Amino acid sequence: MSIADNIKSLKKETGLNKVTLLAVSKTKPATDLQEAYDAGQRLFGENTVQELVEKYEQLPKDIEWHLIGHLQSNKVKYIAPFISMIQSVDSLKLLHEINKQAEKAGRIIDCLLQIYIADEETKFGLGFDEAIELLRSEEFAQLNNVRIRGLMGIATNTDNEKQINEEYYELKMFFDGIKQSYFRKMDSFDTLSMGMSSDYKLAIEQGSNMVRLGSTIFGSRIIKHWKNN
Ligand SMILES: *Cc1c(COP(=O)(O)O)cnc(C)c1O
């Protein structure tokens, strides 16, 4: 199967479920992204600022770029002028910086709060309590150049489907609760980003409306031993 074939069949599958397909293109060359683009894909996700900026410069300007990896505050300025969504917001401090750079760029930047759901030490994200604390804070209320569109979560990397189902179920329940409590009148709080190549079918069953697929589209990545991704 070619990249174009994968895009077409995955778009069909996710479309039937009203789920948005984010193509995760990290480590892949721009030619691979172009092939996906030519097959109709417009949403791409990268996990580092450097790679994202490089590809942004090389590829068509109607691509919507999502950052899905851990973001350091000092790098926000490089993506603020063009990024469509930052899915990996994991602190109020980072949100502050995004707000500041968005203001400079004359934009409002869409963000997801990354929620920690995995049974692993290595994953970034806010705990349920921390997310609530952030949303209730006075500081948050004053950030006018960021818009929280929803939540993102990464399940434990395991073959245990029951565990994955439980983690995604919890995140969906939390999403519904947060929407009721803090975004009741805001239609823009609409995105629940959960599901990767290995578990996206489970995620969709549990209520995901955005899946982030890399290897299913582009083939497996060469493992870089100096990084987790
Ligand atoms: C790499 C990555 C993905 C996609 O992983 P695949 O298993 O290749 O689908 C999804 N989400 C995040 C946050 C990632 O870093």
Side-chain angles (χ1 to χ4, degrees):
M1 291 273 275
S2 68
I3 291 170
D5 289 338
N6 293 337
I7 288 288
K8 281 174 195 150
S9 72
L10 285 165
K11 263 186 174 296
K12 202 169 180 185
E13 182 182 353
T14 52
L16 286 173
N17 291 296
K18 297 196 165 56
V19 170
T20 301
L21 173 62
L22 181 73
V24 176
S25 46
K26 61 191 185 195
T27 79
K28 298 295 175 183
T31 47
D32 283 9
L33 283 76
Q34 185 68 50
E35 187 177 341
Y37 178 92
D38 291 339
Q41 183 64 22
R42 292 294 179 273
L43 267 62
F44 289 86
E46 289 285 337
N47 70 334
T48 71
V49 166
Q50 189 184 341
E51 218 178 315
L52 198 155
V53 170
E54 279 173 20
K55 288 174 179 168
Y56 166 74
E57 284 166 359
Q58 292 173 44
L59 287 155
K61 290 294 171 283
D62 62 338
I63 288 179
E64 294 177 34
W65 294 99
H66 289 217
L67 187 79
I68 58 171
H70 182 64
L71 176 58
Q72 287 170 301
S73 293
N74 61 357
K75 294 195 175 157
V76 175
K77 57 178 177 285
Y78 302 118
I79 57 171
F82 68 88
I83 195 82
S84 282
M85 188 182 274
I86 298 174
Q87 297 206 5
S88 43
V89 174
D90 58 4
S91 72
L92 185 55
K93 174 174 170 274
L94 176 60
L95 204 53
H96 249 289
E97 180 62 17
I98 297 169
N99 188 73
K100 182 176 143 195
Q101 297 300 335
E103 199 176 343
K104 270 194 192 169
R107 305 183 61 212
I108 293 172
I109 295 182
D110 284 345
C111 296
L112 303 181
L113 298 181
Q114 181 175 351
I115 307 297
Y116 181 89
I117 52 171
D119 187 17
E120 288 169 11
E121 284 295 324
T122 55
K123 300 271 193 283
F124 291 102
L126 296 156
F128 294 129
D129 293 352
E130 289 172 311
I132 290 170
E133 196 181 313
L134 185 157
L135 293 170
R136 294 175 75 139
S137 68
E138 286 283 321
E139 270 180 280
F140 171 67
Q142 282 157 22
L143 304 180
N144 294 318
N145 290 73
V146 289
R147 181 167 68 159
I148 303 296
R149 293 287 307 274
L151 308 177
M152 184 268 264
I154 305 171
T156 304
N157 184 8
T158 172
D159 292 334
N160 184 343
E161 291 198 355
K162 183 166 172 286
Q163 182 174 353
I164 295 169
N165 271 327
E166 280 170 8
E167 289 171 1
Y168 284 149
Y169 175 80
E170 271 192 44
L171 186 57
K172 172 68 161 88
M173 290 299 113
F174 187 66
F175 176 84
D176 291 345
I178 291 286
K179 187 167 175 61
Q180 272 297 318
S181 310
Y182 302 99
F183 297 94
R184 195 193 298 251
K185 296 197 182 94
M186 294 159 118
D187 293 339
S188 56
F189 188 88
D190 61 0
T191 306
L192 180 55
S193 169
M194 53 185 205
M196 310 178 27
S197 292
S198 58
D199 61 19
Y200 76 94
K201 287 175 201 283
L202 302 179
I204 291 172
E205 277 171 28
Q206 296 302 332
S208 166
N209 61 23
M210 183 182 287
V211 292
R212 309 177 307 271
L213 305 186
S215 41
T216 304
I217 297 171
F218 297 105
S220 58
R221 289 178 295 274
I222 296 162
I223 294 159
K224 294 183 184 172
H225 289 285
W226 63 90
K227 263 200 293 196
N228 271 329
N229 312 286

